């Protein structure tokens, strides 16, 4: 069969990314372009019906290599992918072995995971299919900082298409392997969250990203997860134009997504055009048991955008997705709170009328100077005193709420955490010019885990385990990240902490909880 990436039916969207300095259109002018009103879905019904056709075409469109085997077509055939990964075991009627149970507390894949009753205990596979300098620094460090290679856009642009494909494929092949999934299963983890770039499915003309290749490895990762009984949250980590302007959106710079410009609306629609066929694909019997959650868009900077416009996009994307999957079918859909706070989502998407939605938040101490400057005892108790209550309230106000990212870090000293060449807030070297958190605050030695004291490791253990306990007041958690290259940033490296003892050997067997802290506070 001809490679579908060379055919006329590939998911090519001919669109240029937003340019720096594009002026925001007046709201009246914007309304004439693509207004985000309650009638948006009705006015675009024909487009979305066409999109449904596109998503059916995705059966042919979306290329894949599963476990090294080139697959012919993804059709509605239940046997269109290679089920031989578990060929010695009994297979379900979807052609795969979904009877695998990752641990005794977790239902096998062919039984429902009871979200809200069974706690999500997960890790992120960040930095794998979307490159981040602080997770995989070496691929960026082949260039001098003066050359301005700071994100996947500039990396791909600098390398050129052939060399970018070669280097990035080598990274995909080596950074995450089946051995990682085997270890994850041993850790008592029951979910993985896999961040994915839009260019894996919907490459945009004019963007330098390596097109489609990541899709092959996403499917490979899902098959490995299936082999060990681990459920997967596939998550769109980037949007055309960039939903937040940070390096993990693919491109550092201005927000070119839903920003009040014509181009911003087009990019928002392109994002819907990306997620709908992805969700449709993973709703099929071959994948539905293992891909049980889908993150519609990662960390849109709603605090910098028009809040109502952003909420309307959430409603439009939800309706477009559920129009394809149908009610009660397809994965749970997660929506990030956009850094405006959980209370701002009270009553949004009520579960009486919206089907299996989850509000997602990412909790970090490191961006709040007051929290960073607290004593270690106070920091280790803060998740119980504050975040736990926030999640409990959101469970009442919104419904299912989860922590999609958290870490062991209590400062921002990790290498390239804020970006290449940007420094850290903790020691006053960050480019915003603000002073250090304290007069003697230094990042020197902060990531030298081999010389950490036992006392500091015990603090990390308390801090991490209490976060886990607090976050199970919602529907669960995903630690960011599973690992970093050569353990370069140990506070963000679950694998290292698991090996060295400041992360529990089994996620459900913990020494520290919130129970006594809550009682003491009351």
């Amino acid at each position: 069969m001809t490679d579908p990436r060379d055919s006329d039916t590939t998911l090519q969207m001919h669109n240029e990314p937003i340019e720096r300095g594009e002026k925001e259109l007046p709201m009246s002018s914007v309304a004439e372009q693509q207004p985000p009103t309650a009638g948006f879905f009705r006015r675009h019904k024909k487009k979305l019906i066409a999109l449904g056709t596109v998503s059916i075409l995705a059966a042919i469109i979306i290329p894949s290599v599963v476990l090294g085997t080139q697959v012919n077509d993804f059709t509605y055939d239940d046997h269109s992918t290679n089920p031989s990964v578990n060929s010695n075991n009994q297979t379900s009627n979807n052609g795969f072995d979904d009877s695998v149970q990752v641990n005794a507390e977790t239902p096998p894949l062919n039984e429902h995971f009871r979200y809200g009753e069974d706690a999500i205990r997960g890790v992120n596979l960040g930095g794998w299919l979307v490159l981040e300098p602080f997770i995989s620094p070496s691929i960026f460090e082949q260039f001098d900082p003066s050359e301005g290679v700071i994100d996947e856009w500039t990396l791909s642009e600098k390398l050129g298409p052939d060399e970018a494909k070669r280097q990035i494929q080598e990274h995909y092949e080596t950074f995450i392997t089946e051995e990682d999934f085997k270890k994850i299963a041993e850790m008592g983890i029951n979910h993985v969250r896999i961040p994915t770039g839009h260019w894996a499915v919907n490459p945009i003309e004019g963007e330098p990203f390596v097109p489609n290749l990541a899709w092959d490895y996403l499917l490979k990762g899902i098959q490995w997860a299936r082999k060990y009984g681990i459920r997967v949250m596939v998550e769109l980590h980037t949007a055309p134009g960039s939903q937040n302007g940070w390096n993990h959106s693919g491109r550092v710079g201005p927000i070119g997504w839903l920003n009040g410009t014509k181009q911003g609306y087009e990019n928002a629609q392109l994002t819907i055009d990306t997620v709908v066929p992805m969700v449709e694909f993973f709703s099929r019997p071959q994948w539905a048991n293992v891909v049980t959650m889908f993150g519609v868009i990662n960390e849109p900077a709603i605090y910098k955008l028009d809040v109502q416009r952003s909420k309307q996009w959430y409603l439009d994307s939800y309706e477009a997705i559920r129009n394809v999957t149908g009610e009660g079918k397809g994965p749970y859909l997660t929506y990030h709170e956009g850094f405006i706070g959980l209370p701002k989502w009270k009553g949004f998407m009520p579960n009486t009328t919206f089907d299996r939605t989850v509000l997602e938040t990412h909790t970090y101490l490191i961006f709040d100077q007051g929290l960073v400057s607290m004593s270690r005892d106070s920091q280790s108790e803060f998740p119980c005193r504050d975040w736990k209550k926030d999640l409990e309230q959101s469970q009442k106000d919104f419904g299912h709420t989860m922590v999609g990212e958290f870490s062991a870090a209590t400062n921002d000293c990790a290498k390239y955490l804020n970006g290449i060449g940007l420094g850290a807030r903790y020691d006053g070297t960050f480019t915003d010019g603000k002073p250090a958190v304290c007069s003697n605050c230094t990042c020197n030695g902060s990531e030298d885990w081999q010389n950490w004291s036992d006392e500091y490791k015990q603090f990390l253990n308390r801090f991490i385990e209490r976060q886990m306990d607090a976050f199970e007041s919602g529907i669960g958690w995903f630690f960011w990240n599973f690992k970093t290259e050569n353990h370069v940033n140990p506070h963000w490296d679950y694998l290292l902490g698991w090996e060295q003892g400041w992360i529990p050997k089994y996620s459900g067997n913990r020494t520290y909880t919130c129970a006594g802290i809550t009682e003491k506070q009351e």
Side-chain angles (χ1 to χ4, degrees), residues 337-346 359 361:
E337 49 90 7
F339 309 105
I340 61 174
L342 295 177
K344 296 290 180 66
W345 299 92
K346 181 178 181 179
L359 185 61
T361 188

Side-chain angles (χ1 to χ4, degrees), residues 176-322:
I176 295 293
T177 67
E178 182 182 345
E179 183 63 23
D180 291 307
F181 282 86
K182 183 179 179 181
K183 289 180 180 178
I184 288 168
E186 294 170 3
M187 295 171 173
I189 295 297
N190 54 37
H191 283 67
V192 293
R193 179 174 179 257
I194 307 181
T196 308
H198 63 274
W199 52 86
V201 172
N202 192 3
I204 309 299
E205 185 179 10
E207 292 186 343
F209 304 114
V210 176
N212 300 123
L213 181 64
W215 176 259
D216 303 346
Y217 290 88
L218 173 61
L219 294 186
K220 183 179 287 191
I222 293 169
Q223 289 292 70
W224 284 331
R226 186 199 305 270
K227 180 175 180 178
Y228 294 100
I230 302 165
R231 288 168 172 81
V232 175
M233 174 180 168
V234 173
E235 182 252 356
L236 188 68
H237 214 63
T238 74
S242 177
Q243 75 278 20
N244 53 39
W246 300 322
N247 63 24
H248 53 73
S249 75
R251 189 181 193 185
V252 173
I255 299 171
W257 180 87
L258 209 64
N259 61 353
T261 67
K262 179 178 182 293
Q263 186 72 65
Y265 281 119
E266 290 175 356
N267 286 332
Q269 183 59 45
L270 284 172
T271 307
I272 292 177
D273 295 346
T274 302
V275 297
V276 170
M278 290 180 75
V279 175
E280 188 274 340
F281 181 87
F282 290 122
S283 299
R284 297 176 187 175
Q286 303 98 312
W287 307 99
N289 287 343
V290 61
V291 180
T292 55
M293 305 186 80
F294 188 89
V296 179
I297 186 64
N298 180 64
E299 293 188 349
I302 295 175
Y303 75 105
K304 294 182 178 180
L305 300 170
D306 182 275
V307 173
Q308 293 308 312
R309 185 188 298 156
S310 302
K311 286 186 172 184
Q312 186 60 52
W313 187 89
Y314 276 18
L315 296 173
D316 293 335
S317 64
Y318 169 87
E319 193 161 7
I321 290 168
R322 289 297 182 226

